[in-house]
Amino acid sequence: MTYQDTIIDAGRLVTSNGDAWRGIQPEAVARMRLQNRFRTGLDIARHTAAVMRRDMAAYDTDPSAYTQSLGCWHGFIAQQKIISIRKHFGTTQGRYLYLSGWMVAALRSAFGPLPDQSMHEKTSVPALIEELYTFLKQADARELGLMFRDIDKARAAGNAVEAQRLIHAVDHYESHVVPVIADIDAGFGNAEATYLLARKMIEAGACALQIENQVSDEKQCGHQDGKVTVPHEDFLAKIRACRYAFLELGVDDGIIVARTDSLGAGLTKQIAFSRAPGDLGDRYNAFLDTEPVSEAANNDVLIARDGVFWRPKRLPSNLYRFRAGTGEDRCVLDCVTALRHGADLLWIETERPDIAQIAGMVDRIRAEVPDAKLAYNNSPSFNWTLNFRQQAYDRWAEEGRDVSGYDRARLMDTGYDDTELAAEADERIRTFQRDASARAGIFHHLITLPTYHTAALSTDLLSRDYFGDQGMLGYVKGVQRREIREGIACVRHQNMSGSDIGDDHKEYFAGDAALKAGGVHNTMNQFAA
């Protein structure tokens, strides 16, 4: 409903309750309703799923319409990110949140910092989703509250045109509530455990769940060694578990992002069950590193294929090896299989940001599933500077250009920063997302851990200056003066934390008797200049 319709609806309700409700102001009710448009996490999940589906359809038509996100480990970080996006670009369209399991493990576990191995409490994941949306809804309430105050000022000044303009802006208000792609790791257990956690995550507001094909109890960070994958049927059961959770909760267009770690995973925990030659289990087992045998030894595990017995190479850990060089083939099979069994988007975890490598796999996937799309991790685990300088170096060498002035192994050195090669590399980093979306089917670009690194960097710089000879100037010059001049919302931290919203509520509840915090003696007024 519009602002005026909401006031009228609230007025009817108040009037119907007679004198007992005479102290209730219909316009105050309308304002509070509009400041809290999403009553539950499921309301958020349904709304944001629709947003993502529209964006996915737009990308299918125009690959330049790719989407982006940054990983956020706290509600305040997510809130400031979306406020910043609205300030700089005027809209949140195409911008999401990413919830990283790595950052939950490292920053939000009751055990303290943990590696990305699914050892953190799985309940901390839906708790963070709920926290993210609590802060985003508060950003809505804050901004709308400021708009309501401006309406009151316009009315008090007798400026009906300005008041009507502001009411129109309220009616067309774009929420800070955006989609979150949430990392469910490998499901934290079997398919039932995956379903139970998926339900909690969706109820908290997640419209998109990212799940990976690693063994749950052997899970590793995607950029570390020792990754172990599961047969396809095990992974598909978890994809179905996520879909059932969405459907049970009425989020019919929820999104499942199927991640394959096969490119860097050389091990499997079990041999797949096969019913017939050429079926999915048989194709999985065909990638195993085996050797022919004429007879079985004690405690041997053997596979029969075409009348020949093969012994899979088994480690003392009871894990089995895949043949070297099969990673891309396994990735392609993983992706095609996931899309054909209910996944909506793919995630291929790579060891470097290489458009040609990604595109080569996507071309093969799209030969079987033409509308295949990826979410891609623009990972901080990549040394982007070194990778792209080396790519530029190799390209120059292939073209016969002079590279004698460069040491390929030391291209990270600052001495190369002002060179032509470094400039070309930086330009390719700048256009990486655009180019990869056009060539390699990447619908969504994300950085998993950026705010982990920015928090560390900004804290290091402030600590260096404040505790050094800069003293208080270290804070004023490095933080506050920049906040003021760059229009950072939280420079007025009392307002950001909800003080003005609280004052509004006091006026609604107590009228003239309200004791407000935001009077003329509030030091935050110094930032109005």
Side-chain angles (χ1 to χ4, degrees):
M1 292 189 291
T2 66
Y3 183 60
Q4 295 294 350
D5 289 341
T6 308
I7 294 172
I8 291 168
D9 183 67
R12 291 195 190 102
L13 180 61
V14 171
T15 301
S16 70
N17 281 274
D19 287 347
W21 282 22
R22 65 181 178 274
I24 302 295
Q25 306 168 49
E27 187 162 14
V29 174
R31 289 180 175 186
M32 293 177 74
R33 284 180 174 179
L34 292 172
Q35 286 175 302
N36 185 26
R37 301 180 186 205
F38 301 100
R39 309 295 172 80
T40 70
L42 289 178
D43 291 338
I44 291 172
R46 294 185 188 105
H47 167 75
T48 53
V51 169
M52 273 194 75
R53 290 289 179 180
R54 288 194 297 270
D55 288 348
M56 289 162 68
Y59 175 80
D60 286 339
T61 302
D62 177 8
S64 69
Y66 60 87
T67 58
Q68 300 167 293
S69 67
L70 297 173
C72 297
W73 54 273
H74 192 280
F76 177 72
I77 301 294
Q79 179 197 67
Q80 294 304 301
K81 170 190 148 182
I82 300 302
I83 287 174
S84 177
I85 288 169
R86 284 170 60 93
K87 180 186 77 171
H88 290 294
F89 306 104
T91 179
T92 62
Q93 185 173 351
R95 278 81 175 203
Y96 305 163
L97 298 178
Y98 179 66
L99 186 153
S100 161
W102 191 102
M103 284 207 287
V104 175
L107 298 170
R108 302 303 302 263
S109 171
F111 293 107
L114 293 172
D116 184 22
Q117 297 174 356
S118 293
M119 294 189 292
H120 54 283
E121 313 89 339
K122 60 184 177 181
T123 52
S124 60
V125 183
L128 180 53
I129 296 169
E130 184 176 6
E131 177 183 293
L132 295 176
Y133 282 124
T134 296
F135 275 79
L136 294 187
K137 289 194 297 179
Q138 193 264 3
D140 277 354
R142 170 188 169 272
E143 187 169 321
L144 284 164
L146 293 172
M147 295 168 74
F148 296 147
R149 287 176 172 224
D150 287 342
I151 290 171
D152 292 340
K153 290 177 185 177
R155 287 171 175 171
N159 191 341
V161 173
E162 176 63 6
Q164 192 56 45
R165 184 194 70 78
L166 289 163
I167 290 171
H168 178 80
V170 170
D171 289 341
H172 294 85
Y173 179 79
E174 182 186 58
S175 175
H176 291 79
V177 171
V178 300
V180 60
I181 298 176
D183 186 357
I184 197 171
D185 278 20
F188 287 85
N190 60 15
E192 174 70 6
T194 302
Y195 155 76
L196 293 171
L197 180 55
R199 274 193 53 179
K200 288 294 184 185
M201 294 170 69
I202 298 163
E203 287 171 340
C207 73
L209 303 178
Q210 169 222 324
I211 186 164
E212 61 201 61
N213 69 335
Q214 290 194 52
V215 175
S216 185
D217 59 353
E218 300 281 355
K219 182 254 190 305
Q220 292 279 11
C221 171
H223 293 278
Q224 292 185 310
D225 204 357
K227 293 189 291 183
V228 184
T229 62
V230 297
H232 294 96
E233 290 295 348
D234 293 33
F235 188 53
L236 297 180
K238 293 186 177 183
I239 288 177
R240 285 191 291 270
C242 291
R243 181 64 66 202
Y244 271 110
F246 275 124
L247 295 176
E248 177 183 350
L249 296 171
V251 185
D252 297 347
D253 52 358
I255 291 98
I256 298 172
V257 184
R259 168 175 151 176
T260 172
D261 279 275
S262 290
L263 196 61
L267 302 169
T268 184
K269 193 166 188 177
Q270 62 195 88
I271 297 171
F273 178 75
S274 173
R275 295 177 176 82
D279 67 7
L280 201 53
D282 187 49
R283 294 173 71 186
Y284 185 83
N285 293 337
F287 292 118
L288 292 171
D289 190 1
T290 59
E291 55 188 3
V293 294
S294 57
E295 59 183 67
N298 191 41
N299 293 319
D300 249 352
V301 173
L302 302 179
I303 296 176
R305 180 173 286 116
D306 299 325
V308 178
F309 284 106
W310 300 84
R311 179 188 294 119
K313 294 182 180 177
R314 186 166 51 164
L315 303 179
S317 58
N318 207 34
L319 300 175
Y320 298 91
R321 288 190 187 278
F322 288 115
R323 294 196 315 278
T326 63
E328 288 200 8
D329 291 339
R330 285 182 280 126
C331 277
V332 171
L333 180 59
D334 293 345
C335 291
V336 170
T337 301
L339 290 174
R340 286 178 171 170
H341 291 81
D344 303 290
L345 292 172
L346 301 171
W347 174 317
I348 301 175
E349 193 76 346
T350 65
E351 77 282 7
R352 65 185 186 276
D354 186 326
I355 293 176
Q357 178 197 38
I358 304 163
M361 289 185 281
V362 170
D363 287 346
R364 295 173 62 189
I365 296 164
R366 284 184 162 178
E368 300 192 52
V369 186
D371 63 347
K373 292 180 285 296
L374 272 66
Y376 185 72
N377 178 9
N378 293 225
S379 177
S381 293
F382 304 145
N383 185 332
W384 285 78
T385 301
L386 182 60
N387 265 288
F388 276 79
R389 287 182 181 181
Q390 289 181 337
Q391 288 180 35
Y393 178 98
D394 294 342
R395 192 161 42 248
W396 283 19
E398 290 171 8
E399 294 169 356
R401 297 177 62 176
D402 182 13
V403 293
S404 61
Y406 300 94
D407 181 346
R408 190 181 187 279
R410 300 182 66 245
L411 288 173
M412 188 68 192
D413 194 290
T414 57
Y416 294 120
D417 285 357
D418 296 324
T419 63
E420 183 183 357
L421 184 143
E424 179 177 318
D426 280 356
E427 177 61 13
R428 288 182 178 269
I429 293 171
R430 187 185 72 82
T431 64
F432 173 81
Q433 295 189 342
R434 181 194 70 193
D435 297 341
S437 290
R439 175 64 187 90
I442 297 177
F443 159 73
H444 186 75
H445 286 276
L446 61 97
I447 307 178
T448 45
L449 322 175
T451 54
Y452 177 89
H453 293 279
T454 55
L457 176 60
S458 60
T459 302
D460 176 80
L461 296 175
L462 175 60
S463 299
R464 177 197 66 190
D465 294 342
Y466 175 74
F467 293 106
D469 60 8
Q470 293 291 299
M472 191 58 196
L473 183 61
Y475 172 75
V476 172
K477 186 177 180 180
V479 180
Q480 189 182 76
R481 191 177 297 166
R482 292 188 63 187
E483 283 183 303
I484 294 169
R485 292 176 176 173
E486 296 180 24
I488 305 300
C490 70
V491 69
R492 296 178 62 213
H493 49 260
Q494 306 285 15
N495 167 267
M496 194 75 255
S497 69
S499 180
D500 289 348
I501 296 172
D503 277 357
D504 291 340
H505 291 171
K506 290 175 184 178
E507 184 174 338
Y508 300 162
F509 305 157
D512 293 339
L515 184 63
K516 298 182 182 181
V520 295
H521 298 297
N522 188 324
T523 57
M524 285 285 101
N525 294 329
Q526 297 172 27
F527 296 98

mmCIF file of all heavy atoms in Angstrom, residues 59 63 66 355 359 388 427-442 445:
data_model
loop_
_atom_site.group_PDB
_atom_site.id
_atom_site.type_symbol
_atom_site.label_atom_id
_atom_site.label_comp_id
_atom_site.label_asym_id
_atom_site.label_seq_id
_atom_site.Cartn_x
_atom_site.Cartn_y
_atom_site.Cartn_z
ATOM 1 N N TYR A 59 20.519 -11.641 -16.951
ATOM 2 C CA TYR A 59 21.856 -12.050 -17.378
ATOM 3 C C TYR A 59 21.790 -12.963 -18.596
ATOM 4 O O TYR A 59 22.637 -12.871 -19.497
ATOM 5 C CB TYR A 59 22.593 -12.745 -16.232
ATOM 6 C CG TYR A 59 23.936 -13.305 -16.661
ATOM 7 C CD1 TYR A 59 25.047 -12.472 -16.755
ATOM 8 C CD2 TYR A 59 24.086 -14.650 -16.995
ATOM 9 C CE1 TYR A 59 26.284 -12.974 -17.167
ATOM 10 C CE2 TYR A 59 25.305 -15.153 -17.401
ATOM 11 C CZ TYR A 59 26.393 -14.318 -17.489
ATOM 12 O OH TYR A 59 27.603 -14.806 -17.909
ATOM 13 N N PRO A 63 24.801 -10.637 -20.904
ATOM 14 C CA PRO A 63 25.861 -11.018 -19.942
ATOM 15 C C PRO A 63 26.532 -9.844 -19.237
ATOM 16 O O PRO A 63 27.244 -10.061 -18.254
ATOM 17 C CB PRO A 63 26.869 -11.776 -20.815
ATOM 18 C CG PRO A 63 26.091 -12.243 -21.994
ATOM 19 C CD PRO A 63 25.082 -11.177 -22.250
ATOM 20 N N TYR A 66 25.745 -8.798 -15.068
ATOM 21 C CA TYR A 66 26.177 -9.697 -14.000
ATOM 22 C C TYR A 66 25.965 -9.022 -12.639
ATOM 23 O O TYR A 66 25.740 -7.807 -12.555
ATOM 24 C CB TYR A 66 27.637 -10.106 -14.186
ATOM 25 C CG TYR A 66 28.634 -8.973 -14.193
ATOM 26 C CD1 TYR A 66 29.184 -8.484 -13.012
ATOM 27 C CD2 TYR A 66 29.050 -8.390 -15.390
ATOM 28 C CE1 TYR A 66 30.109 -7.450 -13.009
ATOM 29 C CE2 TYR A 66 29.974 -7.348 -15.406
ATOM 30 C CZ TYR A 66 30.495 -6.885 -14.218
ATOM 31 O OH TYR A 66 31.400 -5.857 -14.221
ATOM 32 N N ILE A 355 40.497 -16.599 -16.990
ATOM 33 C CA ILE A 355 39.257 -16.628 -17.773
ATOM 34 C C ILE A 355 39.262 -17.781 -18.770
ATOM 35 O O ILE A 355 38.244 -18.461 -18.950
ATOM 36 C CB ILE A 355 39.042 -15.284 -18.489
ATOM 37 C CG1 ILE A 355 38.776 -14.179 -17.460
ATOM 38 C CG2 ILE A 355 37.875 -15.379 -19.480
ATOM 39 C CD1 ILE A 355 38.647 -12.792 -18.050
ATOM 40 N N ALA A 359 36.415 -20.543 -18.872
ATOM 41 C CA ALA A 359 35.604 -20.610 -20.092
ATOM 42 C C ALA A 359 35.686 -21.981 -20.743
ATOM 43 O O ALA A 359 34.684 -22.478 -21.293
ATOM 44 C CB ALA A 359 36.057 -19.528 -21.070
ATOM 45 N N PHE A 388 48.183 -11.875 -12.529
ATOM 46 C CA PHE A 388 47.908 -11.158 -13.770
ATOM 47 C C PHE A 388 49.174 -10.590 -14.402
ATOM 48 O O PHE A 388 49.250 -10.458 -15.634
ATOM 49 C CB PHE A 388 46.849 -10.078 -13.532
ATOM 50 C CG PHE A 388 45.454 -10.624 -13.619
ATOM 51 C CD1 PHE A 388 44.905 -11.314 -12.548
ATOM 52 C CD2 PHE A 388 44.718 -10.497 -14.774
ATOM 53 C CE1 PHE A 388 43.622 -11.848 -12.629
ATOM 54 C CE2 PHE A 388 43.443 -11.036 -14.883
ATOM 55 C CZ PHE A 388 42.897 -11.713 -13.804
ATOM 56 N N GLU A 427 44.877 -3.343 -15.744
ATOM 57 C CA GLU A 427 43.688 -3.129 -16.567
ATOM 58 C C GLU A 427 42.905 -4.422 -16.731
ATOM 59 O O GLU A 427 41.665 -4.416 -16.710
ATOM 60 C CB GLU A 427 44.082 -2.564 -17.933
ATOM 61 C CG GLU A 427 42.931 -2.360 -18.904
ATOM 62 C CD GLU A 427 41.871 -1.375 -18.423
ATOM 63 O OE1 GLU A 427 42.127 -0.631 -17.439
ATOM 64 O OE2 GLU A 427 40.772 -1.343 -19.020
ATOM 65 N N ARG A 428 43.583 -5.535 -16.858
ATOM 66 C CA ARG A 428 42.890 -6.822 -16.981
ATOM 67 C C ARG A 428 42.248 -7.240 -15.649
ATOM 68 O O ARG A 428 41.216 -7.900 -15.651
ATOM 69 C CB ARG A 428 43.839 -7.898 -17.499
ATOM 70 C CG ARG A 428 44.180 -7.698 -18.969
ATOM 71 C CD ARG A 428 45.089 -8.785 -19.515
ATOM 72 N NE ARG A 428 45.358 -8.590 -20.929
ATOM 73 C CZ ARG A 428 44.623 -9.111 -21.921
ATOM 74 N NH1 ARG A 428 43.578 -9.872 -21.637
ATOM 75 N NH2 ARG A 428 44.933 -8.888 -23.181
ATOM 76 N N ILE A 429 42.860 -6.849 -14.533
ATOM 77 C CA ILE A 429 42.207 -7.077 -13.237
ATOM 78 C C ILE A 429 40.941 -6.227 -13.149
ATOM 79 O O ILE A 429 39.881 -6.699 -12.709
ATOM 80 C CB ILE A 429 43.168 -6.738 -12.080
ATOM 81 C CG1 ILE A 429 44.333 -7.728 -12.030
ATOM 82 C CG2 ILE A 429 42.421 -6.756 -10.739
ATOM 83 C CD1 ILE A 429 45.437 -7.342 -11.051
ATOM 84 N N ARG A 430 41.035 -4.957 -13.590
ATOM 85 C CA ARG A 430 39.889 -4.053 -13.535
ATOM 86 C C ARG A 430 38.712 -4.598 -14.330
ATOM 87 O O ARG A 430 37.547 -4.506 -13.893
ATOM 88 C CB ARG A 430 40.284 -2.671 -14.068
ATOM 89 C CG ARG A 430 39.197 -1.604 -13.900
ATOM 90 C CD ARG A 430 39.580 -0.295 -14.546
ATOM 91 N NE ARG A 430 39.529 -0.372 -16.002
ATOM 92 C CZ ARG A 430 38.392 -0.238 -16.701
ATOM 93 N NH1 ARG A 430 37.239 -0.046 -16.103
ATOM 94 N NH2 ARG A 430 38.420 -0.317 -18.026
ATOM 95 N N THR A 431 38.980 -5.170 -15.483
ATOM 96 C CA THR A 431 37.897 -5.641 -16.353
ATOM 97 C C THR A 431 37.628 -7.135 -16.205
ATOM 98 O O THR A 431 36.838 -7.694 -16.971
ATOM 99 C CB THR A 431 38.227 -5.338 -17.828
ATOM 100 O OG1 THR A 431 39.400 -6.079 -18.223
ATOM 101 C CG2 THR A 431 38.472 -3.848 -18.032
ATOM 102 N N PHE A 432 38.266 -7.782 -15.229
ATOM 103 C CA PHE A 432 38.136 -9.235 -15.096
ATOM 104 C C PHE A 432 36.678 -9.657 -14.979
ATOM 105 O O PHE A 432 36.223 -10.591 -15.661
ATOM 106 C CB PHE A 432 38.921 -9.731 -13.884
ATOM 107 C CG PHE A 432 38.690 -11.195 -13.579
ATOM 108 C CD1 PHE A 432 39.362 -12.177 -14.289
ATOM 109 C CD2 PHE A 432 37.787 -11.591 -12.599
ATOM 110 C CE1 PHE A 432 39.151 -13.527 -14.024
ATOM 111 C CE2 PHE A 432 37.568 -12.936 -12.325
ATOM 112 C CZ PHE A 432 38.250 -13.900 -13.043
ATOM 113 N N GLN A 433 35.917 -9.009 -14.112
ATOM 114 C CA GLN A 433 34.539 -9.446 -13.897
ATOM 115 C C GLN A 433 33.699 -9.263 -15.157
ATOM 116 O O GLN A 433 32.938 -10.152 -15.543
ATOM 117 C CB GLN A 433 33.938 -8.697 -12.706
ATOM 118 C CG GLN A 433 34.624 -9.032 -11.399
ATOM 119 C CD GLN A 433 33.919 -8.472 -10.179
ATOM 120 O OE1 GLN A 433 33.105 -7.558 -10.266
ATOM 121 N NE2 GLN A 433 34.239 -9.010 -9.019
ATOM 122 N N ARG A 434 33.846 -8.112 -15.803
ATOM 123 C CA ARG A 434 33.101 -7.876 -17.042
ATOM 124 C C ARG A 434 33.485 -8.896 -18.109
ATOM 125 O O ARG A 434 32.622 -9.489 -18.772
ATOM 126 C CB ARG A 434 33.393 -6.455 -17.542
ATOM 127 C CG ARG A 434 32.657 -6.073 -18.821
ATOM 128 C CD ARG A 434 33.249 -4.808 -19.412
ATOM 129 N NE ARG A 434 34.594 -5.063 -19.954
ATOM 130 C CZ ARG A 434 35.449 -4.113 -20.302
ATOM 131 N NH1 ARG A 434 35.129 -2.829 -20.114
ATOM 132 N NH2 ARG A 434 36.632 -4.417 -20.807
ATOM 133 N N ASP A 435 34.788 -9.113 -18.283
ATOM 134 C CA ASP A 435 35.259 -10.018 -19.326
ATOM 135 C C ASP A 435 34.878 -11.463 -19.029
ATOM 136 O O ASP A 435 34.476 -12.212 -19.932
ATOM 137 C CB ASP A 435 36.783 -9.900 -19.474
ATOM 138 C CG ASP A 435 37.225 -8.513 -19.912
ATOM 139 O OD1 ASP A 435 36.381 -7.754 -20.445
ATOM 140 O OD2 ASP A 435 38.411 -8.174 -19.697
ATOM 141 N N ALA A 436 34.989 -11.869 -17.758
ATOM 142 C CA ALA A 436 34.659 -13.245 -17.394
ATOM 143 C C ALA A 436 33.167 -13.509 -17.522
ATOM 144 O O ALA A 436 32.751 -14.617 -17.883
ATOM 145 C CB ALA A 436 35.131 -13.541 -15.971
ATOM 146 N N SER A 437 32.350 -12.523 -17.246
ATOM 147 C CA SER A 437 30.898 -12.695 -17.389
ATOM 148 C C SER A 437 30.510 -12.817 -18.852
ATOM 149 O O SER A 437 29.599 -13.575 -19.208
ATOM 150 C CB SER A 437 30.164 -11.533 -16.723
ATOM 151 O OG SER A 437 30.301 -11.603 -15.325
ATOM 152 N N ALA A 438 31.195 -12.068 -19.709
ATOM 153 C CA ALA A 438 30.890 -12.129 -21.138
ATOM 154 C C ALA A 438 31.375 -13.433 -21.763
ATOM 155 O O ALA A 438 30.695 -14.011 -22.617
ATOM 156 C CB ALA A 438 31.530 -10.938 -21.851
ATOM 157 N N ARG A 439 32.531 -13.913 -21.324
ATOM 158 C CA ARG A 439 33.142 -15.078 -21.976
ATOM 159 C C ARG A 439 32.904 -16.387 -21.240
ATOM 160 O O ARG A 439 32.806 -17.445 -21.864
ATOM 161 C CB ARG A 439 34.660 -14.835 -22.097
ATOM 162 C CG ARG A 439 35.452 -16.027 -22.646
ATOM 163 C CD ARG A 439 35.056 -16.350 -24.072
ATOM 164 N NE ARG A 439 35.685 -17.594 -24.539
ATOM 165 C CZ ARG A 439 35.137 -18.802 -24.408
ATOM 166 N NH1 ARG A 439 33.938 -18.956 -23.833
ATOM 167 N NH2 ARG A 439 35.767 -19.879 -24.870
ATOM 168 N N ALA A 440 32.816 -16.353 -19.922
ATOM 169 C CA ALA A 440 32.857 -17.600 -19.154
ATOM 170 C C ALA A 440 31.587 -17.878 -18.352
ATOM 171 O O ALA A 440 31.605 -18.695 -17.439
ATOM 172 C CB ALA A 440 34.067 -17.592 -18.217
ATOM 173 N N GLY A 441 30.491 -17.206 -18.662
ATOM 174 C CA GLY A 441 29.209 -17.557 -18.054
ATOM 175 C C GLY A 441 29.080 -17.237 -16.590
ATOM 176 O O GLY A 441 28.283 -17.871 -15.882
ATOM 177 N N ILE A 442 29.826 -16.240 -16.106
ATOM 178 C CA ILE A 442 29.761 -15.922 -14.679
ATOM 179 C C ILE A 442 28.662 -14.898 -14.433
ATOM 180 O O ILE A 442 28.783 -13.734 -14.824
ATOM 181 C CB ILE A 442 31.123 -15.417 -14.161
ATOM 182 C CG1 ILE A 442 32.174 -16.525 -14.313
ATOM 183 C CG2 ILE A 442 31.006 -14.990 -12.698
ATOM 184 C CD1 ILE A 442 33.575 -16.113 -13.909
ATOM 185 N N HIS A 445 29.702 -12.450 -9.326
ATOM 186 C CA HIS A 445 31.075 -12.341 -8.841
ATOM 187 C C HIS A 445 31.043 -11.979 -7.358
ATOM 188 O O HIS A 445 30.340 -11.044 -6.963
ATOM 189 C CB HIS A 445 31.828 -11.244 -9.594
ATOM 190 C CG HIS A 445 32.195 -11.611 -10.995
ATOM 191 N ND1 HIS A 445 33.316 -12.325 -11.307
ATOM 192 C CD2 HIS A 445 31.569 -11.353 -12.175
ATOM 193 C CE1 HIS A 445 33.394 -12.494 -12.619
ATOM 194 N NE2 HIS A 445 32.354 -11.922 -13.176
#
